[in-house]
Amino acid sequence: MSKFLIKKSGPLKGEVKISGSKNAVLPIMAATLLTDEDCEILDVPALKDVDVMCELLSCLGADVDKELEKNRIKVKAAKKIASEAPFELVKQMRASILVLGALLLRTGHAIIHLPGGCAIGERPIELHLKGLKALGATIDEEQLLKGIVDAKADRLKGASIYLDFPSVGATEVIVMAASLAEGTTVLQNAAQEPEIVDLANFLNKMGARIKGAGTDTIKIEGVEKLHGVSHHVIPDRIEAGTFMVGAAITRGRILIKNMLPDHLKAVIAKLRECGVHIEFTDNGVLVDGGKNPLVSTDVKTLPYPGFPTDMQSPFMALLTVAKGPSVVIETVFENRFMHVGEFNRMGAGIRTEGKCAIIPGNKVLKGASVAATDLRAGAAVVLTGLIAEGTTIVSQIYHIDRGYEHFVDKLKELGADIEVVED
Ligand code: UD1
């Protein structure tokens, strides 16, 4: 098994270019199944999750031409599409559920074993199913009890749907399914994440009629057919946020290129509260963590445009060394404090109570053997490793490959002392 060996590094300095968004490209790849014509996706990050989605699409019957060294994928789903997603792939990646609507539309039947993915809470999918039922699908309740989604529909019909929680995945599945349903769908309390907007832009280019993506009400007028398109994926806001914290925690100065600051308003506001200097320039976003003292602030995660749950662990890494105590409240996932145990091995002294973590701050962290307990927690412990005294060894780094393109190379380029070692 590979591990990271990280030594205390000086301030990160230089430039970094942000890759295409993982969470935008996965639903867009699923949406290529909605047409039998050629689709081209550009700025695709070379990530494990993208590999798994490519494999899933080709197992389902699509022709996938993967050129990740050029950050490009071409998909043509012209042949007969299968109804069942192979369990071996689905269990590797929760986002596999995103093909649910496409399978129903293309084959009238979808069978998917409930997926794994990050170990951050139960992550149910009742909202995806509520939406599909409203559109006219029937779900086999007995199979569902066994953890298998078995959905059938001859023809989906537009409906009025209210989501009890603005789930990103449920919004994406419903928007895809409604695009080819008969009539109009109105989706209320929809997720408003930038990745939803990117998916809607992709579908609209394909000929869909979607309005309101990026707000809490999305209106979709179903169309008869969608056609092939070429599309550039938006930059990854979580990768950008992680490098912003990288500049802050190491008291460094990084120019972040290909980042859309509008997608990171909450993170930028919170970093500024901590004393981090952030400047928007023509060449990118300049983040300077060395200009002012680092001070604490409180953070509460929320659906977009609130503070992103995916930035919670990297931000907590920063708070461990900021001056003064802080409180982090996680409201999106029920079990997303697994990194706390890892930070505490390095001397962070954090206490958790339910959804709250109390961070004393003012710590000098010490290198330790820690684990990347999930994707974002993995990036977070790497950041703490960069400032901890001595050496930090990070295990389970395969989680990080799921979501950060060329993470080690990008960090090294900025001056980090990080190596991949084999056991
Ligand atoms: C997506 C992102 C993930 C991010 C998350 C929240 C992708 C591939 N992944 O995940 O990186 O952390 O959004 O921003 O885009 N829920 C229910 N019932 C449901 C659906 C969701 O209770 O039917 C709950 C989940 O358990 C979780 C919360 O809602 O606690 C958020 O889930 P959701 O927004 O669906 O996240 P994902 O789409 O899985």
Side-chain angles (χ1 to χ4, degrees), residues 23 94 123-127 165 167-169 310 332-333 336:
N23 288 353
R94 177 184 159 82
R123 308 191 82 170
I125 59 157
E126 84 281 359
L127 296 172
F165 178 86
S167 153
V168 173
D310 286 351
V332 178
F333 286 104
R336 205 170 199 184

Side-chain angles (χ1 to χ4, degrees), residues 6-273:
I6 306 169
K7 294 209 178 109
K8 184 174 174 180
S9 311
L12 295 185
K13 282 195 174 135
E15 293 181 6
V16 67
K17 185 173 174 233
I18 299 307
S19 303
S21 161
K22 168 180 94 72
N23 288 353
V25 79
L26 295 174
I28 286 172
M29 289 172 74
T32 61
L33 293 177
L34 296 172
T35 176
D36 55 8
E37 295 180 15
D38 285 302
C39 290
E40 180 187 46
I41 315 173
L42 302 158
D43 296 333
V44 177
L47 300 172
K48 184 79 181 80
D49 274 9
V50 170
D51 284 334
V52 175
M53 188 56 102
C54 282
E55 225 179 312
L56 178 57
L57 296 182
S58 65
C59 284
L60 289 169
D63 288 322
V64 181
D65 183 4
K66 184 173 78 168
E67 288 177 297
L68 287 186
E69 59 301 339
K70 291 185 185 158
N71 297 108
R72 183 166 67 199
I73 292 174
K74 291 180 186 162
V75 184
K76 185 170 184 156
K79 293 184 232 143
K80 191 171 164 5
I81 294 295
S83 293
E84 181 164 359
F87 181 57
E88 275 314 303
L89 294 174
V90 179
K91 77 173 185 198
Q92 288 181 46
M93 187 181 66
R94 177 184 159 82
S96 309
I97 200 76
L98 293 169
V99 299
L100 187 54
L103 296 190
L104 260 183
L105 286 162
R106 285 290 296 261
T107 75
H109 193 183
I111 305 171
I112 303 183
H113 292 249
L114 291 180
C118 282
I120 45 174
E122 279 214 349
R123 308 191 82 170
I125 59 157
E126 84 281 359
L127 296 172
H128 308 54
L129 301 182
K130 176 183 173 182
L132 292 177
K133 274 194 219 168
L135 294 172
T138 54
I139 314 284
D140 186 327
E141 299 296 336
E142 271 182 32
Q143 289 289 78
L144 199 54
L145 290 175
K146 294 183 206 152
I148 301 165
V149 177
D150 186 331
K152 286 187 182 145
D154 290 336
R155 181 83 167 101
L156 295 178
K157 288 211 168 95
S160 197
I161 302 167
Y162 171 81
L163 290 182
D164 301 282
F165 178 86
S167 153
V168 173
T171 301
E172 290 165 346
V173 165
I174 294 166
V175 166
M176 282 189 244
S179 293
L180 285 169
E182 195 183 314
T184 302
T185 297
V186 178
L187 180 60
Q188 285 177 313
N189 201 25
Q192 303 177 40
E193 270 71 359
E195 294 77 20
I196 307 280
V197 179
D198 207 25
L199 172 66
N201 287 341
F202 179 74
L203 290 166
N204 282 341
K205 276 195 215 167
M206 292 173 93
R209 297 173 77 177
I210 303 164
K211 285 190 183 148
T215 74
D216 64 358
T217 304
I218 306 181
K219 191 172 168 191
I220 308 123
E221 275 177 54
V223 295
E224 279 297 316
K225 190 176 161 35
L226 295 175
H227 53 80
V229 283
S230 176
H231 183 80
H232 287 266
V233 173
I234 55 169
D236 197 306
R237 64 194 165 99
I238 305 301
E239 188 199 6
T242 303
F243 279 102
M244 293 184 93
V245 172
I249 200 169
T250 64
R251 318 303 305 275
R253 187 179 153 92
I254 306 180
L255 180 69
I256 305 184
K257 297 188 152 189
N258 195 37
M259 157 180 167
L260 296 175
D262 267 0
H263 292 175
L264 280 143
K265 282 184 184 150
V267 174
I268 290 170
K270 284 286 154 187
L271 283 170
R272 282 181 167 154
E273 281 178 26

